[in-house]
Amino acid sequence: MTVFIERIDTENYRWIDARFDLKDSGWGSGSFAAEHVEGAIHWDLENDLSDMASKGGRHPMPTKDQLTRLFQAAGLELADSIIVYDQGGSPYAARAWWLLKYAGFEHAYISRVGFDELKRQGIATTTESASYPVSSVMPAFHDELLATRSDVQQIVDGKELGVLIDARSPERYAGINEPIDAVAGRIPGARNYDWSQLVSNKAFRTDEEFSSLLQPKEPAVVYCGSGVTAAALYAVLAEKQHESLKLYVGSYSDWISDEDSVVEFDRDDHPEAADDRTKAVLARLIEEGYTGEMLMKKFEYEKSLLEDEK
């Protein structure tokens, strides 16, 4: 499957600007307003490509109705050739691309380079907003591309074949450092491939070989913290002709939202309590019978609640 392309043609493609910054949620829309590819529309990660009002991880999957309205408002048709770009070397264009592929847009692609490089190459840009007639497109959703928490649990339990691939950094995968989620660790049995290894000079490399991680026909579910960076790894795997891929959009943040979900980690088996409050929590959990991974998971969760109270 061809996923990444380099084009500066604004006549024969519909362009979608997916620039975003997790540390500054208004940066993407502001950058689009300042300048963008001629004819492009902007899709925001949190306003358009996620349903932030629902449960299901930190960047929950939009409903099919929400996606249909998004595509119709953009004036898209299933036969359109579409290129999505962001600032380059980021996962936001991949998130939009995956949603388009999930919805049946077979001619959707990711620009291998970001906006600044597209501009350097001579693509037409503007500050004016493009307007398109609302379409009546009805997506042909491919549910086989989406993994739910239940699907992942089936793999963890050995009831379904599949490889879980964690796209986060090795430190987060190992549970050594978790700067975002309340519980450190990984989904049991997952393999690790840090998606950021695929980026060089704000562009995606597609020359990586994944034979030590995954075989081309081996079924796999890709996840990260919230389903965003995993889309980038998913896209490169698809480019390398890996066929049986699913994206767990809820990802690790959804997995740990169920307190019965087990996690793995590469740390000491016993959690550390730093002060009297956390020592009291740890003592209570041990008294209640928690041990091993479940003790660590429950302790990390309750410790996060104490931190929220500060």
Side-chain angles (χ1 to χ4, degrees):
M1 177 190 299
T2 299
V3 177
F4 294 89
I5 62 176
E6 288 196 47
R7 301 284 190 280
I8 57 171
D9 178 0
T10 58
E11 297 294 327
N12 298 306
Y13 292 91
R14 286 292 310 273
W15 287 80
I16 297 172
D17 185 316
R19 284 178 287 179
F20 190 79
D21 186 341
L22 287 170
K23 297 179 180 179
D24 179 2
S25 61
W27 177 84
S29 57
S31 297
F32 177 80
E35 188 178 23
H36 53 266
V37 169
E38 188 174 75
I41 59 172
H42 184 255
W43 283 352
D44 183 271
L45 172 65
E46 296 185 345
N47 293 328
D48 301 307
L49 306 179
S50 307
D51 180 5
M52 301 301 286
S54 74
K55 297 180 180 180
R58 278 183 281 109
H59 291 100
M61 178 85 172
T63 66
K64 290 179 178 179
D65 285 345
Q66 288 171 327
L67 288 172
T68 298
R69 291 195 296 271
L70 177 68
F71 303 142
Q72 290 177 348
L76 294 177
E77 301 290 351
L78 289 178
D80 286 342
S81 294
I82 304 166
I83 301 179
V84 192
Y85 69 93
D86 54 26
Q87 57 265 47
S90 295
Y92 312 113
R95 168 75 166 220
W97 167 83
W98 185 87
L99 289 171
L100 286 163
K101 298 297 284 188
Y102 168 72
F105 291 87
E106 299 301 325
H107 307 292
Y109 307 97
I110 301 171
S111 175
R112 198 181 71 82
V113 300
F115 176 72
D116 289 344
E117 178 61 19
L118 286 168
K119 186 177 176 182
R120 191 194 69 79
Q121 292 179 7
I123 199 167
T125 64
T126 184
T127 59
E128 297 181 2
S129 297
S131 179
Y132 298 93
V134 173
S135 75
S136 57
V137 66
M138 295 304 296
F141 290 105
H142 293 286
D143 290 324
E144 71 275 11
L145 303 183
L146 173 66
T148 65
R149 189 195 307 160
S150 177
D151 295 328
V152 173
Q153 187 67 61
Q154 291 287 99
I155 295 174
V156 171
D157 292 343
K159 296 177 180 178
E160 292 288 344
L161 291 175
V163 175
L164 300 173
I165 301 177
D166 188 321
R168 298 174 301 162
S169 69
E171 292 79 12
R172 293 184 70 193
Y173 167 81
I176 296 170
N177 178 38
E178 180 47 67
I180 303 173
D181 290 309
V183 178
R186 61 180 175 270
I187 299 175
R191 303 172 186 175
N192 183 224
Y193 187 93
D194 185 349
W195 79 278
S196 66
Q197 298 176 79
L198 299 170
V199 178
S200 177
N201 297 319
K202 297 183 72 174
F204 278 94
R205 296 188 300 105
T206 56
D207 58 352
E208 183 73 358
E209 290 298 328
F210 295 101
S211 57
S212 62
L213 176 73
L214 186 72
Q215 297 304 307
K217 295 186 181 298
E218 197 172 13
V221 174
V222 188
Y223 76 91
C224 56
S226 69
V228 179
T229 58
L233 178 55
Y234 180 109
V236 177
L237 286 168
E239 173 85 17
K240 301 297 289 187
Q241 310 309 312
H242 288 269
E243 300 173 358
S244 301
L245 298 174
K246 293 187 177 186
L247 182 67
Y248 181 16
V249 176
S251 280
Y252 188 71
S253 55
D254 176 60
W255 180 257
I256 61 171
S257 67
D258 181 351
E259 66 176 20
D260 291 329
S261 295
V262 176
V263 299
E264 287 182 341
F265 45 84
D266 298 334
R267 295 182 291 165
D268 293 336
D269 289 339
H270 203 284
E272 295 183 2
D275 55 34
D276 289 342
R277 297 179 75 197
T278 53
K279 286 178 182 177
V281 168
L282 179 57
R284 175 173 56 80
L285 294 176
I286 292 173
E287 185 177 348
E288 291 174 359
Y290 287 95
T291 60
E293 292 178 2
M294 286 306 296
L295 172 61
M296 176 65 79
K297 182 176 185 292
K298 188 70 172 176
F299 177 70
E300 293 282 358
Y301 175 73
E302 296 214 8
K303 188 168 67 171
S304 73
L305 297 180
L306 292 178
E307 293 172 352
D308 289 342
E309 294 174 1
K310 294 179 180 179

PDB file of all heavy atoms in Angstrom, residues 140-158:
ATOM      1  N   ALA A 140     -17.768   4.103   3.738  1.00  0.00           N
ATOM      2  CA  ALA A 140     -17.831   2.635   3.763  1.00  0.00           C
ATOM      3  C   ALA A 140     -16.857   2.172   4.838  1.00  0.00           C
ATOM      4  O   ALA A 140     -15.701   1.862   4.559  1.00  0.00           O
ATOM      5  CB  ALA A 140     -17.455   2.064   2.399  1.00  0.00           C
ATOM      6  N   PHE A 141     -17.320   2.162   6.071  1.00  0.00           N
ATOM      7  CA  PHE A 141     -16.430   1.931   7.207  1.00  0.00           C
ATOM      8  C   PHE A 141     -15.841   0.524   7.206  1.00  0.00           C
ATOM      9  O   PHE A 141     -16.544  -0.460   6.955  1.00  0.00           O
ATOM     10  CB  PHE A 141     -17.170   2.198   8.516  1.00  0.00           C
ATOM     11  CG  PHE A 141     -17.475   3.646   8.755  1.00  0.00           C
ATOM     12  CD1 PHE A 141     -18.767   4.136   8.592  1.00  0.00           C
ATOM     13  CD2 PHE A 141     -16.475   4.531   9.123  1.00  0.00           C
ATOM     14  CE1 PHE A 141     -19.051   5.474   8.810  1.00  0.00           C
ATOM     15  CE2 PHE A 141     -16.751   5.869   9.340  1.00  0.00           C
ATOM     16  CZ  PHE A 141     -18.046   6.347   9.183  1.00  0.00           C
ATOM     17  N   HIS A 142     -14.547   0.460   7.504  1.00  0.00           N
ATOM     18  CA  HIS A 142     -13.821  -0.803   7.587  1.00  0.00           C
ATOM     19  C   HIS A 142     -13.555  -1.105   9.058  1.00  0.00           C
ATOM     20  O   HIS A 142     -12.486  -0.779   9.592  1.00  0.00           O
ATOM     21  CB  HIS A 142     -12.507  -0.716   6.811  1.00  0.00           C
ATOM     22  CG  HIS A 142     -12.681  -0.581   5.330  1.00  0.00           C
ATOM     23  ND1 HIS A 142     -13.073  -1.639   4.532  1.00  0.00           N
ATOM     24  CD2 HIS A 142     -12.531   0.481   4.501  1.00  0.00           C
ATOM     25  CE1 HIS A 142     -13.152  -1.235   3.270  1.00  0.00           C
ATOM     26  NE2 HIS A 142     -12.836   0.052   3.228  1.00  0.00           N
ATOM     27  N   ASP A 143     -14.508  -1.748   9.704  1.00  0.00           N
ATOM     28  CA  ASP A 143     -14.368  -2.033  11.128  1.00  0.00           C
ATOM     29  C   ASP A 143     -13.212  -2.980  11.421  1.00  0.00           C
ATOM     30  O   ASP A 143     -12.732  -3.029  12.561  1.00  0.00           O
ATOM     31  CB  ASP A 143     -15.669  -2.610  11.678  1.00  0.00           C
ATOM     32  CG  ASP A 143     -16.786  -1.578  11.749  1.00  0.00           C
ATOM     33  OD1 ASP A 143     -16.475  -0.403  12.039  1.00  0.00           O
ATOM     34  OD2 ASP A 143     -17.952  -1.937  11.507  1.00  0.00           O
ATOM     35  N   GLU A 144     -12.759  -3.698  10.409  1.00  0.00           N
ATOM     36  CA  GLU A 144     -11.654  -4.632  10.620  1.00  0.00           C
ATOM     37  C   GLU A 144     -10.327  -3.916  10.874  1.00  0.00           C
ATOM     38  O   GLU A 144      -9.345  -4.548  11.290  1.00  0.00           O
ATOM     39  CB  GLU A 144     -11.508  -5.575   9.423  1.00  0.00           C
ATOM     40  CG  GLU A 144     -10.976  -4.943   8.144  1.00  0.00           C
ATOM     41  CD  GLU A 144     -12.061  -4.280   7.293  1.00  0.00           C
ATOM     42  OE1 GLU A 144     -13.198  -4.137   7.793  1.00  0.00           O
ATOM     43  OE2 GLU A 144     -11.760  -3.900   6.152  1.00  0.00           O
ATOM     44  N   LEU A 145     -10.278  -2.614  10.657  1.00  0.00           N
ATOM     45  CA  LEU A 145      -9.056  -1.847  10.911  1.00  0.00           C
ATOM     46  C   LEU A 145      -8.974  -1.335  12.347  1.00  0.00           C
ATOM     47  O   LEU A 145      -7.924  -0.841  12.771  1.00  0.00           O
ATOM     48  CB  LEU A 145      -8.965  -0.653   9.954  1.00  0.00           C
ATOM     49  CG  LEU A 145      -9.003  -0.947   8.457  1.00  0.00           C
ATOM     50  CD1 LEU A 145      -8.838   0.342   7.669  1.00  0.00           C
ATOM     51  CD2 LEU A 145      -7.925  -1.955   8.079  1.00  0.00           C
ATOM     52  N   LEU A 146     -10.062  -1.439  13.084  1.00  0.00           N
ATOM     53  CA  LEU A 146     -10.163  -0.876  14.435  1.00  0.00           C
ATOM     54  C   LEU A 146     -10.151  -1.979  15.484  1.00  0.00           C
ATOM     55  O   LEU A 146     -10.907  -2.953  15.377  1.00  0.00           O
ATOM     56  CB  LEU A 146     -11.458  -0.062  14.557  1.00  0.00           C
ATOM     57  CG  LEU A 146     -11.829   0.462  15.947  1.00  0.00           C
ATOM     58  CD1 LEU A 146     -10.810   1.497  16.407  1.00  0.00           C
ATOM     59  CD2 LEU A 146     -13.228   1.053  15.925  1.00  0.00           C
ATOM     60  N   ALA A 147      -9.323  -1.824  16.495  1.00  0.00           N
ATOM     61  CA  ALA A 147      -9.301  -2.748  17.625  1.00  0.00           C
ATOM     62  C   ALA A 147      -9.917  -2.059  18.841  1.00  0.00           C
ATOM     63  O   ALA A 147      -9.620  -0.900  19.131  1.00  0.00           O
ATOM     64  CB  ALA A 147      -7.877  -3.179  17.946  1.00  0.00           C
ATOM     65  N   THR A 148     -10.769  -2.784  19.529  1.00  0.00           N
ATOM     66  CA  THR A 148     -11.361  -2.309  20.774  1.00  0.00           C
ATOM     67  C   THR A 148     -10.612  -2.911  21.960  1.00  0.00           C
ATOM     68  O   THR A 148      -9.775  -3.811  21.792  1.00  0.00           O
ATOM     69  CB  THR A 148     -12.838  -2.714  20.862  1.00  0.00           C
ATOM     70  OG1 THR A 148     -12.906  -4.154  20.920  1.00  0.00           O
ATOM     71  CG2 THR A 148     -13.617  -2.217  19.637  1.00  0.00           C
ATOM     72  N   ARG A 149     -10.932  -2.436  23.162  1.00  0.00           N
ATOM     73  CA  ARG A 149     -10.318  -3.019  24.357  1.00  0.00           C
ATOM     74  C   ARG A 149     -10.642  -4.506  24.445  1.00  0.00           C
ATOM     75  O   ARG A 149      -9.799  -5.321  24.844  1.00  0.00           O
ATOM     76  CB  ARG A 149     -10.796  -2.303  25.612  1.00  0.00           C
ATOM     77  CG  ARG A 149     -10.016  -2.729  26.868  1.00  0.00           C
ATOM     78  CD  ARG A 149     -10.728  -2.308  28.140  1.00  0.00           C
ATOM     79  NE  ARG A 149     -11.050  -0.903  28.147  1.00  0.00           N
ATOM     80  CZ  ARG A 149     -11.986  -0.364  28.931  1.00  0.00           C
ATOM     81  NH1 ARG A 149     -12.692  -1.131  29.740  1.00  0.00           N
ATOM     82  NH2 ARG A 149     -12.237   0.941  28.894  1.00  0.00           N
ATOM     83  N   SER A 150     -11.860  -4.877  24.058  1.00  0.00           N
ATOM     84  CA  SER A 150     -12.251  -6.283  24.077  1.00  0.00           C
ATOM     85  C   SER A 150     -11.400  -7.106  23.120  1.00  0.00           C
ATOM     86  O   SER A 150     -10.987  -8.226  23.443  1.00  0.00           O
ATOM     87  CB  SER A 150     -13.735  -6.418  23.712  1.00  0.00           C
ATOM     88  OG  SER A 150     -14.115  -7.769  23.648  1.00  0.00           O
ATOM     89  N   ASP A 151     -11.121  -6.557  21.934  1.00  0.00           N
ATOM     90  CA  ASP A 151     -10.264  -7.260  20.973  1.00  0.00           C
ATOM     91  C   ASP A 151      -8.875  -7.490  21.561  1.00  0.00           C
ATOM     92  O   ASP A 151      -8.287  -8.569  21.411  1.00  0.00           O
ATOM     93  CB  ASP A 151     -10.130  -6.445  19.686  1.00  0.00           C
ATOM     94  CG  ASP A 151     -11.434  -6.304  18.932  1.00  0.00           C
ATOM     95  OD1 ASP A 151     -12.262  -7.232  18.997  1.00  0.00           O
ATOM     96  OD2 ASP A 151     -11.636  -5.252  18.286  1.00  0.00           O
ATOM     97  N   VAL A 152      -8.345  -6.463  22.209  1.00  0.00           N
ATOM     98  CA  VAL A 152      -7.010  -6.565  22.799  1.00  0.00           C
ATOM     99  C   VAL A 152      -7.007  -7.584  23.925  1.00  0.00           C
ATOM    100  O   VAL A 152      -6.067  -8.378  24.069  1.00  0.00           O
ATOM    101  CB  VAL A 152      -6.537  -5.183  23.290  1.00  0.00           C
ATOM    102  CG1 VAL A 152      -5.219  -5.295  24.056  1.00  0.00           C
ATOM    103  CG2 VAL A 152      -6.377  -4.226  22.111  1.00  0.00           C
ATOM    104  N   GLN A 153      -8.062  -7.588  24.723  1.00  0.00           N
ATOM    105  CA  GLN A 153      -8.153  -8.555  25.820  1.00  0.00           C
ATOM    106  C   GLN A 153      -8.144  -9.987  25.286  1.00  0.00           C
ATOM    107  O   GLN A 153      -7.551 -10.885  25.899  1.00  0.00           O
ATOM    108  CB  GLN A 153      -9.431  -8.315  26.628  1.00  0.00           C
ATOM    109  CG  GLN A 153      -9.536  -9.157  27.888  1.00  0.00           C
ATOM    110  CD  GLN A 153      -8.502  -8.780  28.928  1.00  0.00           C
ATOM    111  OE1 GLN A 153      -8.480  -7.651  29.413  1.00  0.00           O
ATOM    112  NE2 GLN A 153      -7.616  -9.716  29.268  1.00  0.00           N
ATOM    113  N   GLN A 154      -8.790 -10.213  24.145  1.00  0.00           N
ATOM    114  CA  GLN A 154      -8.802 -11.546  23.537  1.00  0.00           C
ATOM    115  C   GLN A 154      -7.391 -11.996  23.184  1.00  0.00           C
ATOM    116  O   GLN A 154      -7.039 -13.168  23.339  1.00  0.00           O
ATOM    117  CB  GLN A 154      -9.685 -11.545  22.290  1.00  0.00           C
ATOM    118  CG  GLN A 154     -11.173 -11.392  22.561  1.00  0.00           C
ATOM    119  CD  GLN A 154     -11.782 -12.647  23.157  1.00  0.00           C
ATOM    120  OE1 GLN A 154     -11.971 -12.753  24.370  1.00  0.00           O
ATOM    121  NE2 GLN A 154     -12.089 -13.610  22.301  1.00  0.00           N
ATOM    122  N   ILE A 155      -6.568 -11.058  22.696  1.00  0.00           N
ATOM    123  CA  ILE A 155      -5.181 -11.390  22.367  1.00  0.00           C
ATOM    124  C   ILE A 155      -4.388 -11.650  23.638  1.00  0.00           C
ATOM    125  O   ILE A 155      -3.619 -12.618  23.725  1.00  0.00           O
ATOM    126  CB  ILE A 155      -4.544 -10.255  21.540  1.00  0.00           C
ATOM    127  CG1 ILE A 155      -5.247 -10.122  20.187  1.00  0.00           C
ATOM    128  CG2 ILE A 155      -3.047 -10.501  21.342  1.00  0.00           C
ATOM    129  CD1 ILE A 155      -4.787  -8.939  19.359  1.00  0.00           C
ATOM    130  N   VAL A 156      -4.565 -10.798  24.643  1.00  0.00           N
ATOM    131  CA  VAL A 156      -3.865 -10.975  25.922  1.00  0.00           C
ATOM    132  C   VAL A 156      -4.206 -12.324  26.534  1.00  0.00           C
ATOM    133  O   VAL A 156      -3.336 -13.030  27.068  1.00  0.00           O
ATOM    134  CB  VAL A 156      -4.222  -9.828  26.896  1.00  0.00           C
ATOM    135  CG1 VAL A 156      -3.678 -10.116  28.298  1.00  0.00           C
ATOM    136  CG2 VAL A 156      -3.666  -8.496  26.379  1.00  0.00           C
ATOM    137  N   ASP A 157      -5.462 -12.729  26.418  1.00  0.00           N
ATOM    138  CA  ASP A 157      -5.914 -13.995  27.002  1.00  0.00           C
ATOM    139  C   ASP A 157      -5.566 -15.206  26.148  1.00  0.00           C
ATOM    140  O   ASP A 157      -5.849 -16.349  26.545  1.00  0.00           O
ATOM    141  CB  ASP A 157      -7.433 -13.963  27.220  1.00  0.00           C
ATOM    142  CG  ASP A 157      -7.851 -12.981  28.302  1.00  0.00           C
ATOM    143  OD1 ASP A 157      -6.985 -12.567  29.099  1.00  0.00           O
ATOM    144  OD2 ASP A 157      -9.043 -12.601  28.331  1.00  0.00           O
ATOM    145  N   GLY A 158      -4.993 -14.985  24.974  1.00  0.00           N
ATOM    146  CA  GLY A 158      -4.632 -16.089  24.099  1.00  0.00           C
ATOM    147  C   GLY A 158      -5.797 -16.682  23.343  1.00  0.00           C
ATOM    148  O   GLY A 158      -5.690 -17.776  22.779  1.00  0.00           O
TER     149      GLY A 158
END
